[in-house]
Amino acid sequence: MNKKYIIPVVIFSILLLLPFGVQAVVDLRGEKRFQPFDIFKDVVYTPIVREKKVAAAADSLDAKWRAAREAIAAGAEVADALEPVTSSLSDLEAAVLSVNTYAELDTAEARYKSLKLADTLLSKLEDEPESFPQADSCIKSLVADLGHVSLRRAFLDVKHYGVWTSRYLRAFENKIDDESAIVLALRPKYQLAVWNLFSDPGEKVVLGAAGNCIGKSCGREDAKPEDKWLFYRQDVEFLVQPSPLDVRSAKLDNPVKAIERFRDQLKAKGVELLVVITPGKPSIYTERLTGKNSDGAGLQSHGKKILDSLTRAGFNTVDLYTPLLAAKSRDAAEGPLYLNDDTHWTPRGAELAAAEIAKKVREMVDAGTVKFRGKDDVRYIASDSIADRMGDVGEMSGLNKFGVFKVQQVTGHVVSQQNIKERTEKLPVDSTCVDAAKIACKKNDSCFTAQSALCERDTVLYDTTVTPFKDDFRKSEILILGDSFSRIYQTDSPVNAGWIAHFAKNMNARVASIVSDGGASTLVREKLARKASVLKGKKLLIWEFVERDLRFGAEGWKNVDF
């Protein structure tokens, strides 16, 4: 080799091996595993260990199912008897679905479908005891298939999910990138340097153009970067890319067709569908993004146009665009409708949405579109609660750890259920009344007994207790499917202050909900399909999803069979 090439080759080799060497030293010195060893382990060790784990879980399911059958035959409550069976089935699912360190079982596999069928049948048993033979057959089939160690199955799983597959290598590469010691050490400092030099918050984030005021005098030039609003890039891209229904988006799933099919599936079960498209933050606060006054720009959003087309086609819909845009005029007094450094709305925005959705449901009831059995006896109250929010868009930027963006304090109104029980209590006997009976009856005992009985008095008392708001899948006639806009304030701080709880309060009605962050287009319907028995007794299903999911929804807009 020519000597002049030796030094460049050595330098190149060092640079090539440096990340691997640093990672190896960090992993071996610390508590973390040495990741390259995962490849060897997933070929030689993991398949056998997994087969043993699956077999043990299947045996446990078999034992719990036998015990449950005996308990039900002896008169035990079905729900109580099935609880350990459900837990064992979950353990079996976890063991089967995780093939190795980096690969999950394909949803098209027969094992996956059998597990999900068993899950669905178990959830139906309490309300549909006639499905017991089908559930029994399904569980016995699962146990027969998975209750023993199969070397052939282990070999096939290595073949289809091992290191030579693209799915494994992509996941391995992503894990290496995410957990690289060099990346973890340098990336935050790089992100901070880019922010300080160029006010660039990162690839997932768009920095708004305006701070606390809008217009010519305080656009990009005058507003400090840390005072500007942050926007999620997908929210912005949804507005500037072609509509999901445009011919240029032909490769995307058609959301309207999926919504129509879902409506028809529900109608066949006697359930009405109400579609709620949540506006993204840039549709409502366009001026915070562009720095220019743009009243009504949100009404030109792809989401609003698709919502209008659904309404014209006869779908039940709720327009949140118009009331949210109108409510901005009160921001100075009541605070904004969306969070500064977050994709989501503030408690004020969530409560406005709850009021609009409740208004639409009452209109549907008045029009006879949906008929509930009767008024619920439930009552709700609300109380103030303050919570600190660190925005999710700020977290995406990676700059929150440096205190670049401030924690935003919000005041939510936590909804609680008010339980009122009526009871009768006897009051002390009125002595004046008894004396009067003695005088009137003199020594006539039967007269005195009859008259003194009239002196006994009862009073009605009401005992009031307050319990946290909670979903009621058994008694509710309304089911809600939603995304993170349904989750925020509902299951995270301040808890039970989201639009779902306030909708229940506005309606004085019990509700139940199934929520999937970022997955309201398809994933939440798949959740419902696995627990289809929750539709029993339901008259209305409210489906909430943010407008960006019309283009970017996780798993697209697939057809889901029930």
Side-chain angles (χ1 to χ4, degrees):
M1 178 185 289
N2 194 320
K3 292 183 178 180
K4 67 179 181 181
Y5 295 124
I6 293 177
I7 294 177
V9 168
V10 170
I11 294 174
F12 177 78
S13 300
I14 292 173
L15 292 175
L16 188 65
L17 295 174
L18 181 63
F20 179 82
V22 170
Q23 189 66 42
V25 171
V26 170
D27 288 349
L28 294 172
R29 290 181 61 186
E31 297 179 356
K32 292 170 61 178
R33 69 185 187 282
F34 182 46
Q35 288 180 338
F37 183 68
D38 290 339
I39 296 175
F40 173 78
K41 185 181 72 173
D42 286 340
V43 173
V44 177
Y45 175 76
T46 302
I48 302 302
V49 172
R50 173 172 172 267
E51 278 294 317
K52 291 180 179 179
K53 188 176 179 181
V54 168
D59 289 342
S60 174
L61 175 64
D62 185 38
K64 297 290 174 57
W65 176 241
R66 291 176 186 274
R69 286 188 304 176
E70 293 174 2
I72 292 171
E77 287 288 334
V78 176
D80 295 336
L82 290 179
E83 188 173 343
V85 180
T86 304
S87 176
S88 289
L89 181 60
S90 296
D91 293 341
L92 180 59
E93 286 181 354
V96 172
L97 297 184
S98 181
V99 180
N100 53 47
T101 310
Y102 299 101
E104 293 285 317
L105 191 72
D106 196 309
T107 56
E109 285 255 12
R111 283 172 289 173
Y112 179 91
K113 293 179 179 178
S114 296
L115 287 165
K116 294 310 174 187
L117 176 60
D119 191 19
T120 300
L121 291 172
L122 280 180
S123 67
K124 288 169 60 177
L125 272 183
E126 188 176 353
D127 295 324
E128 300 178 20
E130 65 273 12
S131 64
F132 186 92
Q134 191 180 359
D136 185 54
S137 174
C138 181
I139 291 176
K140 285 180 178 177
S141 176
L142 268 177
V143 171
D145 182 36
L146 302 174
H148 62 281
V149 174
S150 170
L151 295 179
R152 180 177 181 275
R153 187 168 52 224
F155 171 77
L156 290 175
D157 283 342
V158 171
K159 178 182 176 182
H160 295 301
Y161 298 95
V163 63
W164 28 77
T165 62
S166 60
R167 77 179 93 195
Y168 186 99
L169 291 175
R170 276 197 299 268
F172 179 76
E173 183 182 4
N174 291 336
K175 197 74 171 178
I176 290 290
D177 287 344
D178 291 339
E179 297 186 3
S180 166
I182 293 178
V183 171
L184 292 176
L186 297 182
R187 181 187 288 159
K189 296 179 176 62
Y190 169 78
Q191 289 172 322
L192 182 62
V194 170
W195 169 256
N196 289 331
L197 291 172
F198 308 109
S199 298
D200 182 352
E203 62 181 11
K204 294 183 179 180
V205 184
V206 176
L207 183 65
N212 295 324
C213 60
I214 305 299
K216 294 180 180 178
S217 62
C218 54
R220 294 182 183 274
E221 296 78 13
D222 299 327
K224 296 179 180 178
E226 60 269 23
D227 292 331
K228 296 176 181 179
W229 281 24
L230 300 181
F231 293 84
Y232 183 33
R233 187 170 294 279
Q234 279 193 356
D235 279 334
V236 178
E237 288 181 352
F238 174 76
L239 299 182
V240 299
Q241 291 188 17
S243 166
L245 305 184
D246 191 282
V247 292
R248 291 168 291 178
S249 304
K251 292 183 179 180
L252 299 176
D253 294 332
N254 188 313
V256 172
K257 288 183 178 179
I259 294 169
E260 182 179 11
R261 187 169 189 268
F262 189 41
R263 179 197 61 181
D264 295 342
Q265 288 172 318
L266 293 173
K267 199 172 277 288
K269 296 177 180 291
V271 182
E272 282 291 328
L273 174 65
L274 177 60
V275 178
V276 181
I277 300 180
T278 301
K281 185 164 72 171
S283 287
I284 302 302
Y285 285 98
T286 312
E287 69 279 5
R288 295 279 183 185
L289 177 65
T290 64
K292 299 176 182 178
N293 287 314
S294 48
D295 293 338
L299 298 177
Q300 304 303 315
S301 162
H302 298 321
K304 178 64 165 65
K305 291 178 179 178
I306 291 174
L307 180 73
D308 290 342
S309 70
L310 290 171
T311 306
R312 289 193 297 270
F315 288 81
N316 302 309
T317 63
V318 176
D319 173 17
L320 294 181
Y321 291 83
T322 304
L324 284 168
L325 287 167
K328 283 167 56 180
S329 63
R330 303 191 299 276
D331 279 7
E334 300 177 19
L337 296 157
Y338 284 71
L339 296 162
N340 298 6
D341 305 334
D342 200 292
T343 56
H344 302 99
W345 43 31
T346 60
R348 180 186 166 218
E351 290 173 28
L352 187 150
E356 291 296 323
I357 297 168
K359 177 183 173 183
K360 176 63 180 182
V361 173
R362 285 192 287 266
E363 289 174 358
M364 293 173 66
V365 172
D366 292 342
T369 306
V370 60
K371 296 179 181 179
F372 297 124
R373 289 188 295 269
K375 288 188 175 180
D376 272 330
D377 57 357
V378 67
R379 293 291 179 271
Y380 299 101
I381 57 174
S383 57
D384 290 358
S385 179
I386 296 175
D388 290 334
R389 295 288 312 180
M390 181 59 79
D392 60 354
V393 185
E395 289 289 345
M396 293 176 202
S397 73
L399 296 169
N400 276 350
K401 63 187 72 175
F402 300 109
V404 172
F405 306 114
K406 304 176 182 67
V407 172
Q408 189 171 358
Q409 194 172 77
V410 296
T411 300
H413 302 97
V414 176
V415 175
S416 303
Q417 184 172 326
Q418 189 177 45
N419 308 294
I420 302 175
K421 288 188 177 180
E422 180 181 305
R423 61 183 174 87
T424 303
E425 189 174 282
K426 289 188 176 296
L427 292 174
V429 176
D430 187 344
S431 58
T432 304
C433 177
V434 174
D435 292 341
K438 287 179 180 178
I439 294 172
C441 296
K442 297 183 179 179
K443 295 185 178 181
N444 188 331
D445 292 342
S446 60
C447 171
F448 176 74
T449 300
Q451 290 296 318
S452 62
L454 299 176
C455 299
E456 296 178 358
R457 297 174 297 165
D458 292 338
T459 186
V460 177
L461 299 176
Y462 297 93
D463 295 329
T464 302
T465 58
V466 176
T467 56
F469 172 90
K470 63 179 181 179
D471 284 335
D472 192 334
F473 284 93
R474 287 176 179 271
K475 296 181 180 178
S476 65
E477 295 181 87
I478 301 173
L479 177 65
I480 296 169
L481 304 186
D483 56 16
S484 57
F485 278 81
S486 295
R487 183 260 307 155
I488 191 170
Y489 314 124
Q490 190 67 28
T491 57
D492 54 6
S493 185
V495 182
N496 293 332
W499 82 260
I500 291 176
H502 281 276
F503 167 78
K505 177 177 177 291
N506 291 338
M507 293 295 298
N508 276 328
R510 293 179 173 87
V511 301
S513 63
I514 301 175
V515 174
S516 177
D517 275 22
S521 57
T522 292
L523 297 181
V524 78
R525 286 182 292 135
E526 290 180 338
K527 280 188 177 182
L528 175 61
R530 291 194 292 269
K531 304 282 187 182
S533 60
V534 304
L535 285 173
K536 187 173 182 179
K538 303 296 182 286
K539 301 296 182 183
L540 176 66
L541 187 145
I542 301 173
W543 188 12
E544 176 276 320
F545 53 86
V546 66
E547 63 177 4
R548 68 172 176 268
D549 276 4
L550 291 165
R551 169 175 283 275
F552 299 112
E555 302 297 324
W557 290 83
K558 292 181 172 57
N559 288 329
V560 177
D561 293 320
F562 288 85

